[in-house]
Amino acid sequence: MNFFDSKNRTALLETMAETTYDLVIIGGGATGAGTALDAISRGMSVCLVDKQDFAAGTSSRSTKLIHGGLRYLKQLEIALVREVGRERAIVHRLAPHLVVSEKMLLPLIEGGTYGRFATSLGLMVYDVLAGVERPDQRIMLSKEKTIEYEPLIRTDILEGSGLYAEYRTDDARLTIEVLKTAAKMGAHCINYVEVKDFIYEPKKGKVAGVKCQELIAGQPLEIRARQVVSAAGPWVDELRQQNKSLEGKRLHLTKGVHIVLPHERFPVKQSIYFDMPDGRMVFAIPRGKTTYLGTTDTDYHGKKETPLTNLEDVEYLLNGANLIFPGLKLAVADVKSSWAGLRPLIHEDGKSASELSRKDEIFVSDTKLISIAGGKLTGYRKMAERVVDRVAKRLKKKFELEFGPVKTDKIDLVGAETLANAEAVEVYLRQVEEKLIPAGFSTLDASYLVHNYGEQTDTILDHLFAKEDHSPLELIRSELWFGFTHEMVISPMDFFSRRTGRLYFDIDSVREYMDPILEDFRSHFGWDEARYQQDRGYVEQALEQASEFPPST
């Protein structure tokens, strides 16, 4: 049974209640998803729950880069740079449609973070540590050559630049494809199921499962397991508190904001990583019809479910962009949308938000709850490997269960089964264009579909072309059908935000197609009027939060 079909949700819940798993994972972000895939591929029985939608927290709110962490060289985190640099090459190989090579320009300016010699040396070390292949290795550019690459850049303080390789992705799509790959291999993964407490062994008091609340129908659910792992991101400490094991190191939450502008208002020719007046650095990344800019890095103490973009965040990013690109005269009115996300970092006394390490850390309680926090999107696979190694060791010792070695570096993600490399993706993209352009769609439409869904685009287009109407509305409705039947879409914001990214990168299409999409939800799930109005309110609220920026209070 395809448990990622939303119609099979009840059957999945019944199966979860009747099964004792080797491993239950709390949290459906990148780390939890990676842990599910690693564990199921080694032979464990696996269940994963998330109280929101998959990737609804940190893993849909990053800078959307699989990058090697150049700035961590400055903090002398050599091992971290080496690991994530090499991991990005693996993830690119496993999903070349989702993890796309992106040349990054690093301008050198008077009094900036990086001087020419330090930049040249740093990028060379970066290439070596990250195992960058020769075509993508760094080159240093003169001032004149830099202006050729980016004519918009400020020239009076420009001294040259470095050009190096990064990888662009969609963090939420990457997470959902990892989960779907795990589910295809037998993992049971479900959204909108909140862990309320733990089940404990009667005698020794070790964690033996989780007590949950299914949030759509409101029913209680108990899931039993030989081992429980918390990969709950910003909520890790809450679960440690529930487990009475919150001691020693704790989380330090910081907020990162990104803003999205029309590409015609911020028409950079390639991605740029540039200095801010306060010494931080931010990215400007072209994506489709937009360019997005980020990120901020400030301490956060608010509600974890809904970090918001404030006017101060927007002005901070715009002021930095206008300093390096003064001819653009960017203003708040130019910003189409934004997102704010939380980084669950490990607290270190005396360090500011931007100084905290991005290394991950594993905590094991006396009750044998395993928690993992910190880390980066790029390192999700290695983080999962370290967690599952711990799980396998304990299950062998306590239950005499044997499991295989890690193999996730060789498992192609769903959507990329026959897409061996970037060249194969380009060939497939041309094939999709040949189907779409005669029907009145653009190369941008084809690129959006292929880089979101990979080879699954064929399934969406088969559904579209089975209809008489091949309009843009019917294409988005075909995407929604795919979300219902293959990606466990439960709410409109699952679709508009995390499955398609439209809330951020094509917010006008959300406004344009909201009514017919909500009608499809009503029809698919049999909503009554109260549920219809409730979810309509959620979409309207999300639109407001993405595009309106109140001052901080």
Side-chain angles (χ1 to χ4, degrees):
M1 182 178 290
N2 173 18
F3 282 135
F4 261 74
D5 187 329
S6 59
K7 286 288 184 71
N8 294 332
R9 184 177 180 86
T10 299
L12 175 56
L13 289 165
E14 290 172 354
T15 300
M16 290 163 59
E18 296 166 356
T19 305
T20 297
Y21 294 92
D22 292 323
L23 175 63
V24 163
I25 301 159
I26 307 169
T31 305
T35 301
L37 179 56
D38 191 314
I40 196 73
S41 65
R42 296 199 204 190
M44 296 180 192
S45 56
V46 176
C47 174
L48 179 147
V49 298
D50 195 300
K51 73 171 184 175
Q52 301 184 108
D53 183 30
F54 304 124
T58 302
S59 295
S60 62
R61 299 167 181 266
S62 73
T63 307
K64 306 185 187 298
L65 290 175
I66 297 292
H67 65 100
L70 175 63
R71 76 182 183 88
Y72 307 131
L73 276 181
K74 191 176 180 182
Q75 299 172 340
L76 299 180
E77 296 196 44
I78 304 300
L80 178 62
V81 174
R82 179 188 295 113
E83 178 174 295
V84 297
R86 294 183 177 180
E87 279 300 299
R88 68 181 189 167
I90 293 173
V91 182
H92 172 61
R93 189 177 72 245
L94 302 179
H97 65 294
L98 262 176
V99 182
V100 180
S101 181
E102 185 93 355
K103 288 293 187 181
M104 188 74 66
L105 190 69
L106 178 63
L108 307 177
I109 64 172
E110 293 175 6
T113 302
Y114 297 100
R116 188 172 188 85
F117 176 76
T119 299
S120 180
L121 179 62
L123 290 177
M124 182 184 71
V125 172
Y126 179 80
D127 285 344
V128 171
L129 291 176
V132 177
E133 296 181 359
R134 186 171 296 278
D136 281 337
Q137 289 180 358
R138 67 92 171 90
I139 58 174
M140 300 303 295
L141 303 176
S142 66
K143 176 177 179 176
E144 292 72 25
K145 200 69 176 175
T146 301
I147 295 169
E148 285 184 32
Y149 270 80
E150 187 45 74
L152 295 173
I153 204 161
R154 180 176 173 181
T155 59
D156 62 323
I157 58 173
L158 183 67
E159 296 179 342
S161 65
L163 191 68
Y164 68 104
E166 290 287 17
Y167 289 86
R168 175 172 49 84
T169 193
D170 184 305
D171 46 7
R173 290 265 4 138
L174 179 62
T175 300
I176 194 71
E177 299 300 7
V178 174
L179 282 167
K180 285 161 59 181
T181 306
K184 187 177 178 181
M185 299 179 73
H188 295 159
C189 308
I190 194 164
N191 47 5
Y192 299 104
V193 171
E194 181 177 4
V195 171
K196 294 290 191 179
D197 202 351
F198 295 93
I199 301 169
Y200 296 94
E201 295 175 350
K203 293 182 179 180
K204 295 186 177 181
K206 306 304 182 189
V207 170
V210 288
K211 297 179 180 180
C212 306
Q213 185 85 9
E214 197 278 333
L215 300 178
I216 304 303
Q219 72 219 55
L221 172 70
E222 291 194 355
I223 310 171
R224 299 196 168 267
R226 298 178 179 88
Q227 178 64 57
V228 175
V229 163
S230 171
W235 294 270
V236 158
D237 277 359
E238 289 183 19
L239 289 165
R240 292 171 71 201
Q241 182 74 51
Q242 181 70 49
N243 182 240
K244 298 180 173 60
S245 60
L246 182 56
E247 56 187 30
K249 293 184 177 180
R250 301 183 181 218
L251 295 188
H252 184 136
L253 300 183
T254 73
K255 183 178 79 167
V257 165
H258 298 78
I259 58 176
V260 182
L261 301 99
H263 188 257
E264 60 264 24
R265 281 295 291 124
F266 200 171
V268 288
K269 295 173 68 174
Q270 71 278 299
S271 296
I272 301 177
Y273 186 38
F274 61 91
D275 283 87
M276 297 289 281
D278 62 1
R280 293 193 69 254
M281 297 190 72
V282 302
F283 294 97
I285 301 173
R287 174 170 169 156
K289 297 181 285 188
T290 67
T291 298
Y292 67 96
L293 181 66
T295 178
T296 61
D297 201 358
T298 55
D299 292 331
Y300 185 78
H301 305 285
K303 190 175 180 181
K304 299 179 183 70
E305 288 80 6
T306 54
L308 300 177
T309 300
N310 300 115
L311 182 61
E312 290 84 351
D313 301 319
V314 176
E315 290 176 337
Y316 170 83
L317 293 169
L318 291 176
N319 289 341
N322 283 327
L323 182 69
I324 303 297
F325 307 99
L328 295 178
K329 295 181 173 56
L330 299 172
V332 174
D334 294 315
V335 179
K336 295 284 286 184
S337 61
S338 73
W339 69 90
L342 301 182
R343 304 178 188 89
L345 307 177
I346 309 302
H347 179 75
E348 297 178 63
D349 288 337
K351 288 195 174 183
S352 69
S354 60
E355 291 173 326
L356 290 175
S357 172
R358 268 52 177 173
K359 289 187 293 188
D360 57 278
E361 188 135 355
I362 295 173
F363 309 101
V364 183
S365 74
D366 291 341
T367 62
K368 300 306 179 184
L369 170 68
I370 296 176
S371 303
I372 183 166
K376 294 170 56 59
L377 175 68
T378 308
Y380 82 87
R381 198 192 65 83
K382 289 298 288 186
M383 291 165 66
E385 179 182 337
R386 285 191 282 272
V387 169
V388 179
D389 283 347
R390 294 274 190 115
V391 173
K393 185 176 180 180
R394 180 167 186 257
L395 294 184
K396 180 178 181 180
K397 181 178 180 180
K398 183 170 182 179
F399 299 101
E400 298 183 348
L401 297 173
E402 293 279 356
F403 301 102
V406 63
K407 59 182 73 171
T408 51
D409 60 333
K410 301 178 182 65
I411 299 173
D412 293 327
L413 299 188
V414 169
E417 290 90 343
T418 66
L419 298 177
N421 49 41
E423 289 74 23
V425 174
E426 284 301 310
V427 170
Y428 180 65
L429 176 58
R430 299 287 89 77
Q431 295 170 356
V432 171
E433 287 176 346
E434 289 173 3
K435 296 178 181 179
L436 281 175
I437 289 174
F441 294 98
S442 68
T443 57
L444 207 59
D445 295 319
S447 179
Y448 157 78
L449 289 169
V450 169
H451 289 299
N452 259 26
Y453 301 101
E455 295 171 300
Q456 299 166 111
T457 300
D458 285 341
T459 305
I460 295 169
L461 295 186
D462 286 347
H463 188 266
L464 171 67
F465 289 123
K467 307 176 183 183
E468 292 184 9
D469 182 358
H470 302 156
S471 65
L473 170 60
E474 290 308 312
L475 177 57
I476 191 174
R477 293 184 69 209
S478 293
E479 280 189 85
L480 179 59
W481 165 82
F482 183 80
F484 285 148
T485 57
H486 292 78
E487 299 193 338
M488 206 181 288
V489 166
I490 301 298
S491 83
M493 291 318 303
D494 299 347
F495 178 69
F496 282 132
S497 176
R498 291 168 290 278
R499 303 303 185 276
T500 67
R502 288 177 181 270
L503 180 66
Y504 307 136
F505 301 111
D506 195 3
I507 194 169
D508 289 339
S509 74
V510 180
R511 297 186 178 100
E512 181 178 0
Y513 298 122
M514 177 173 65
D515 288 342
I517 291 299
L518 286 170
E519 287 297 335
D520 280 1
F521 271 90
R522 189 205 294 262
S523 173
H524 184 78
F525 290 113
W527 284 354
D528 59 19
E529 184 63 20
R531 176 64 193 274
Y532 174 86
Q533 292 299 335
Q534 178 190 63
D535 277 64
R536 184 184 186 86
Y538 290 152
V539 177
E540 290 172 344
Q541 181 183 50
L543 285 167
E544 179 181 332
Q545 290 174 347
S547 58
E548 298 184 15
F549 317 114
S552 296
T553 55

